[in-house]
Amino acid sequence: MAEESAVQPHLPPFHLAFPVRDVQEAREFYTKVLGCTEGRSSARWQDFSLFGHQIVAHQVDGYNADAACNAVDGDPVPVPHFGAALTVQQFQALAERVRAAGVSFIIEPHLRFKGQPGEQLTMFFKDPSGNSLEFKAMSNPGNLFAKYQVVVWGATGFTGRLVCEHLVRDYQSKGIRWAMAGRNRAKLEEVKQALAQIDPACAAVPFVIADADDEASLARLAADTDVIIATAGPFAKYGSKVVAAAVEAGTHYCDITGELVWVKRMIAAHHEAAAAKGVKLVHCCGYDSTPFDLGVLLLADHARKQMGKALSQAFGLCVDARGGFSGGTIASGFNQAESEAPEEVGRFMSDKYYLWPKDKQRGSDKPPGLLPEWNEYAKTWMGPFVMEAINSRIVQRSSLLNGLYGPDFKYREAMAPGGLLGAAAMSGMMAGIGAMFALAPLRNLAKKRLPQPGEGPTRELMMGGYWKHTMVGLTQEEAGQAPQVIVAECADPARDPGYWGTARLVLEAGLCLALDSAACKAAGCADGGVLTPASAMGMVLVQRLRGAGIKFEVTQSPALGKQQQQQQQQQQQQQQQQQQVEAVATGAGK
C-alpha cells in the first residue's frame, strides 16, 4: 500500500491517538485489512503508518465506541470518525480489500457531492472496537481544503463592490461562504465597512490579499475557494495569472471581460487542461454576453423540445436600455485597441467564428455592415449595436460547444429603435465609436473626457436603469420551406445593463458554478474548458436568473396556442408591474 499522503504529499505526517478494546485485535485489523505497516509498540499500544500518517491504537479496558450521526449530502455520517484522503486508485483498491475481508460498510463506497467542486468518493466502516473510519478520494484533489464557495476578485473596483453588495443584500442570510479579494488591505477594509452598513454581519466577512502579479498569492487564493468571480480589468493586464491559478487549483472561474483577443489566448493556453480537469473557465458573464448568449439558447431549447427543430438563425435585438459607462470598461476597450496587434484585432472584427479552433470548418455567418436594415421577421428596422462584435462571437462559440443549433447557424445582433431614422442614428454613432478606438488622437481626447478607472455612473442611474431585448429565432427547415418563427423577450426592468445589472449577472453565474453543478451536469452542460455562459451552465443559469427577477420568456411560437400566448402576456405584464413596484419600494432593485 502506498505510504504517501495522496492529496497533499508535501504536508507533514498527522498524528492521531485513539482508543481500542484490544491492541492485538487492532493490530490484526489495521495491518491485514487496511494494509498499514507497524511502527513502535508496547503491550498496550501500537503505532501504525496509515498512508504516511502516524496513528496509535491505545488499549482501554472496557472501551466501547458510541458514535453520533450527522447528515452529509443525505448520508448519516458517524461522528467522530477518522481516515485519509486517497487517490481514486487507492480508494478503489482499499474498498476491495475491505470487502474481501468481510467487513460491513456503514456507508457503502459511493460518489457524493456529485457534479460539485467537492465531488468525492467516500466509504465508512468500523474497526473491531467500533471506531468509525472514513476514506475518501476527491475527484479534484485541489478542492480538498477550499474555505469559500465564491471569492470576489477585484472587490474594491467599481463593479466588484456592486457584486459584493448584491451578495450581502440577497445571500448573506442564506449561508453562502464567500470572501473579498484584492491587493489593497485598506481598500478592502473600506468596502467591508460599507457593506456592514447594509448588514452588520458583514463585519465578519473575510478578505484575501492577493496581487495579479504575485503567482504565489493567486495560488493560495484559488486553493481557498470553489469559484473565483473576477471583476478586475483590463483582463489582458490583470487576468491571465488568475486564470492560470484557477486551472492549477481545479477552481471554477467566471468574469465580466469583453476582451476577446485575450479570451482567445486563454482558450489556446488553458482549454484542453481545464477540460481534462473538469474546470469551467467562463468568460463574458456580464451584460456582455450573458443575456444574448442565453437568449439564443432559450430559443434553441424551445425549438428542440417543443417543436423538434434546430435553429438556422437568430437575431438579438436591443429594443431599449438605460444606463451609463464606467472607467474600467472604457479602459479595457482602449487597452485592447492599443496593446493588441492590429492584425489580430482585424481578425477578431472580421470573423464571426473567431473563438473557434483554427482547424474547425467555418459556416457562412458574416459580420453585418453599418447601414440600417429591415428585419422582416421582427418587422423592425435594425441599426448596428456596439457589442455585436463581442456577443456574436460568444454565441457562435456556444454553437460549437453545445451542439444544439443548426449546422450552419447564423446570429445577428442589432439595435431596434423602431424606425429608420433611429437606425440611421445608430449607424452614425457606431461610425464615431469605431473612429475613436481606431485613431490615437481621438482615443487620447476621450481618455480626458470619459470616466476614469474606478469611476462609474451615479447610483440613481444604475438603480433606475433597465434593458429589454427581443430575441427572434428561425427554425431549420427543408430546402424551399419557410422557417417557423419563435420570439422571446429577455429583460431586466430594475437594473442598468452595465453595472448593477452586470454585477448581478456575474454573481449568479458564480453561484451557479458553486451551487448548481449537479443540475448543470444533469442538463448536459460542458464539464470543463474555456466555455461560454450557455455551454457551461445553460438553462440552469436561465432559471437562476429568472429567480433574480430577470425575464427569459418565449412569447410567440407555433408551439404556443393563442390562449396560452394571451395568458403569458397577462402574466408578464403583472410580473413587470410588480417588479417595478418592488424596485421603487426598495430603491435598490432586487
Side-chain angles (χ1 to χ4, degrees):
M1 175 177 289
E3 289 299 324
E4 184 179 77
S5 176
V7 176
Q8 295 284 348
H10 63 280
L11 291 177
F14 186 79
H15 170 78
L16 172 70
F18 61 99
V20 297
R21 65 189 182 191
D22 185 275
V23 73
Q24 181 57 35
E25 183 182 51
R27 188 177 288 117
E28 292 284 322
F29 178 82
Y30 282 91
T31 59
K32 294 184 178 180
V33 177
L34 300 190
C36 296
T37 56
E38 295 182 32
R40 296 177 299 114
S41 66
S42 76
R44 297 184 64 84
W45 57 266
Q46 173 68 59
D47 283 356
F48 301 103
S49 174
L50 178 69
F51 293 93
H53 300 285
Q54 185 193 47
I55 61 172
V56 187
H58 288 268
Q59 183 169 315
V60 176
D61 295 333
Y63 173 70
N64 185 21
D66 185 15
C69 287
N70 189 32
V72 177
D73 199 35
D75 293 328
V77 170
V79 181
H81 64 262
F82 66 93
L86 312 176
T87 67
V88 171
Q89 293 78 12
Q90 288 171 326
F91 178 94
Q92 293 171 340
L94 180 59
E96 289 304 313
R97 288 176 67 100
V98 172
R99 282 198 180 95
V103 176
S104 297
F105 290 101
I106 303 172
I107 298 175
E108 290 280 341
H110 73 290
L111 189 69
R112 71 180 177 192
F113 303 123
K114 186 175 181 181
Q116 301 178 41
E119 182 179 280
Q120 58 189 261
L121 291 164
T122 185
M123 59 181 166
F124 286 80
F125 51 87
K126 293 185 177 183
D127 71 7
S129 297
N131 294 307
S132 299
L133 294 97
E134 178 194 14
F135 292 88
K136 64 176 64 176
M138 302 296 294
S139 297
N140 191 327
N143 286 339
L144 181 64
F145 296 110
K147 296 179 183 178
Y148 313 117
Q149 291 167 309
V150 295
V151 167
V152 181
W153 166 249
T156 62
F158 191 85
T159 306
R161 288 173 182 244
L162 297 176
V163 174
C164 294
E165 184 176 341
H166 276 297
L167 260 167
V168 170
R169 291 187 179 279
D170 291 317
Y171 290 104
Q172 184 70 27
S173 63
K174 297 180 181 179
I176 298 296
R177 292 181 286 109
W178 71 285
M180 301 179 290
R183 63 183 179 180
N184 189 307
R185 182 180 297 272
K187 289 185 177 180
L188 287 166
E189 286 284 6
E190 178 188 325
V191 174
K192 180 190 286 193
Q193 291 173 12
L195 296 176
Q197 298 299 312
I198 301 171
D199 185 340
C202 292
V205 171
F207 56 73
V208 181
I209 303 298
D211 192 290
D213 291 323
D214 183 348
E215 294 180 6
S217 69
L218 294 176
R220 291 191 295 270
L221 165 66
D224 278 348
T225 185
D226 296 334
V227 178
I228 296 171
I229 299 175
T231 64
F235 287 84
K237 282 187 175 182
Y238 305 119
S240 298
K241 291 180 181 179
V242 181
V243 174
V247 176
E248 181 65 24
T251 298
H252 299 319
Y253 166 98
C254 61
D255 67 30
I256 56 171
T257 189
E259 302 160 55
L260 293 198
V261 177
W262 176 74
V263 170
K264 188 175 181 69
R265 286 202 296 273
M266 295 302 97
I267 293 171
H270 301 297
H271 178 71
E272 291 186 5
K277 296 180 74 171
V279 176
K280 297 186 181 186
L281 307 175
V282 195
H283 301 295
C284 304
C285 290
Y287 183 69
D288 310 318
S289 304
T290 296
F292 303 94
D293 195 32
L294 294 183
V296 174
L297 179 68
L298 177 69
L299 297 171
D301 184 75
H302 178 87
R304 182 167 52 92
K305 292 179 179 178
Q306 305 299 325
M307 304 169 66
K309 301 282 186 179
L311 282 187
S312 64
Q313 189 170 6
F315 299 90
L317 306 177
C318 182
V319 177
D320 196 9
R322 183 174 186 266
F325 297 97
S326 88
T329 296
I330 295 166
S332 293
F334 286 154
N335 182 72
Q336 179 166 278
E338 294 170 350
S339 65
E340 303 293 355
E343 300 81 11
E344 189 64 27
V345 175
R347 281 190 286 270
F348 150 53
M349 294 299 294
S350 63
D351 186 5
K352 281 284 192 78
Y353 307 94
Y354 178 70
L355 299 180
W356 283 30
K358 289 182 179 179
D359 59 354
K360 187 71 176 179
Q361 183 176 352
R362 267 66 171 156
S364 60
D365 204 7
K366 302 293 182 185
L370 285 176
L371 297 178
E373 294 182 38
W374 174 253
N375 187 314
E376 180 61 29
Y377 303 104
K379 305 299 182 185
T380 188
W381 282 96
M382 301 186 301
F385 182 46
V386 67
M387 305 315 302
E388 193 276 343
I390 296 169
N391 297 331
S392 63
R393 278 62 168 171
I394 293 296
V395 169
Q396 281 293 7
R397 182 160 176 82
S398 293
S399 76
L400 170 72
L401 295 172
N402 64 26
L404 298 177
Y405 310 158
D408 186 21
F409 172 76
K410 300 178 184 65
Y411 177 66
R412 171 72 186 277
E413 200 165 285
M415 291 292 295
L420 177 57
L421 289 179
M426 294 298 104
S427 296
M429 184 180 71
M430 273 297 295
I433 292 173
M436 180 182 69
F437 280 99
L439 301 176
L442 291 180
R443 283 200 305 272
N444 293 333
L445 179 62
K447 288 177 183 179
K448 297 177 181 179
R449 301 293 182 87
L450 295 174
Q452 299 303 303
E455 299 177 353
T458 65
R459 189 169 184 85
E460 291 73 21
L461 184 57
M462 290 190 299
M463 302 306 174
Y466 57 86
W467 54 265
K468 181 179 179 181
H469 305 160
T470 296
M471 307 297 296
V472 181
L474 309 181
T475 59
Q476 188 82 39
E477 303 291 348
E478 297 292 334
Q481 292 186 350
Q484 300 181 67
V485 180
I486 307 165
V487 179
E489 184 176 325
C490 306
D492 188 339
R495 306 177 186 98
D496 76 312
Y499 298 96
W500 190 232
T502 275
R504 190 51 177 257
L505 289 167
V506 73
L507 170 61
E508 296 298 340
L511 292 175
C512 189
L513 291 173
L515 306 177
D516 301 332
S517 293
C520 289
K521 194 174 187 69
C525 300
D527 291 327
V530 180
L531 307 174
T532 61
S535 60
M537 295 164 278
M539 293 299 293
V540 179
L541 181 55
V542 169
Q543 191 59 35
R544 177 172 276 280
L545 292 174
R546 285 170 174 161
I550 301 174
K551 181 178 181 180
F552 286 89
E553 196 71 44
V554 174
T555 56
Q556 296 179 36
S557 164
L560 297 178
K562 183 176 181 181
Q563 182 179 7
Q564 186 177 0
Q565 288 189 31
Q566 292 174 343
Q567 290 174 347
Q568 282 192 338
Q569 289 171 357
Q570 291 173 355
Q571 291 172 358
Q572 288 158 11
Q573 291 172 356
Q574 292 170 358
Q575 289 172 358
Q576 189 172 8
Q577 291 171 356
Q578 181 62 31
Q579 288 166 354
Q580 291 171 342
V581 169
E582 291 175 355
V584 172
T586 62
K590 182 176 177 184

